[in-house]
Amino acid sequence: MRSKRLNLDAYETDKIRLGYLDVYDAITAPWIDKEIKLLEVGVYQGGSLKLWRDYFPRGTIVGIDRKLPQHFQRGERIQVFAGSQADKEFLSKVANETAPDGFDIIIDDASHIGELTRRSFWHLFDHHLKPGGLYAIEDWGTGYLDDFSDGKRFDPKASILGCVRSMLPRRFSRRIKLPVPCDSYGMVGFIKELVDEQGAASIAMGQKASWRRSKFKNLLITPGVVFVTKAAPDISAFPNPVPAGDGLGKTTISWSTASISAGKVCVSVDNRQESLFGGSRQGSAAANWIRAGSTYEFRLYDSDHTRLLAKVVVRRATE
Ligand SMILES: C[S@@+](CC[C@H](N)C(=O)[O-])C[C@H]1O[C@@H](n2cnc3c(N)ncnc32)[C@H](O)[C@@H]1O
């Protein structure tokens, strides 16, 4: 529990009072001692930037706010920039200057307005978050507050009726008048959009549309903070090892570059020169020529074959 090793009285940030650090502690453990790049959108007086600087002792902390605090001391692994979270050009300029290989962690604690949060999320997530990186959206529950600029008080009647109607046979359900659906816009609507992205593969199957993986490895919705982990490039074989038997064995190789760019899959048999096996952003193909005693290394590269993204070694079981 990293935060328990810090003197939390030294930092002025509501993350402490709201108990968010207990959740961050559980999720950020793999990054603690690494040379990470962290971006926080929403600086206020800079208390959380100082907290993250000490929380990640080898990290570089970058803060963005449309209005920076007047006397904030930069340096010591903290950089700050003035601009809006809605300005994609500004976001890219800061990212290219401070984290050209992408951020490891991005935290949005800025406007808490659905449309602005959405705009910066998709831009930063797609272009400036590393594969396997973490994106946290704080205070998403503001979307349920009727005194928040794009909030709306939760209306349980509308939700329950909607749910009941969907369970009834059509001849009954048509007789029930459904009030305007609640909480499907603003911040809460945006969070529900993230649920749909997590379900992208199932949605495609349901619609018999061309299949695609979710851009998310996982999505965790906690009472105060939503965490999205970006999918990373992946290649796998099933079954592996390939069962023993007569003749040649068969496995299916599946891969995804987890990005918008294409990939290339090559195979090297017994460490010899590789040959092309497949090429696309994601896909799967059968390898029905697996021999006992040989080692097959399937390698997923970026499209120009300069970067190895992932690999899997396939063998045949001996009995
Ligand atoms: C909740 S405070 C940030 C608190 C800080 N992260 C902490 O924990 O101490 C929200 C900040 O977001 C900034 N903000 C609001 N709308 C913004 C926008 N559209 N772009 C950038 N920053 C914005 C505000 O100026 C304010 O300083």
Side-chain angles (χ1 to χ4, degrees), residues 151-219:
K152 182 182 185 296
R153 191 187 313 175
F154 180 62
D155 179 357
K157 208 169 84 213
S159 307
I160 290 165
L161 265 181
C163 191
V164 167
R165 194 171 89 154
S166 70
M167 289 188 297
L168 289 172
R170 276 189 70 193
R171 63 182 188 284
F172 294 119
S173 70
R174 262 189 263 123
R175 276 187 232 148
I176 295 179
K177 269 216 161 104
L178 186 65
V180 177
C182 62
D183 299 306
S184 54
Y185 60 88
M187 189 62 145
V188 179
F190 167 58
I191 300 303
K192 290 177 179 176
E193 178 182 325
L194 300 183
V195 174
D196 291 339
E197 175 53 39
Q198 183 69 90
S202 305
I203 291 170
M205 276 191 274
Q207 295 178 346
K208 312 254 182 303
S210 60
W211 190 80
R212 80 164 175 95
R213 281 175 202 240
S214 171
K215 295 178 181 181
F216 303 165
K217 179 179 178 202
N218 56 48
L219 170 68

Side-chain angles (χ1 to χ4, degrees), residues 128-150:
H128 300 294
L129 183 66
K130 285 182 186 168
L134 182 71
Y135 199 113
I137 300 162
E138 293 192 1
D139 302 333
W140 65 279
T142 50
Y144 290 117
L145 310 179
D146 58 358
D147 56 356
F148 204 78
S149 50
D150 73 340

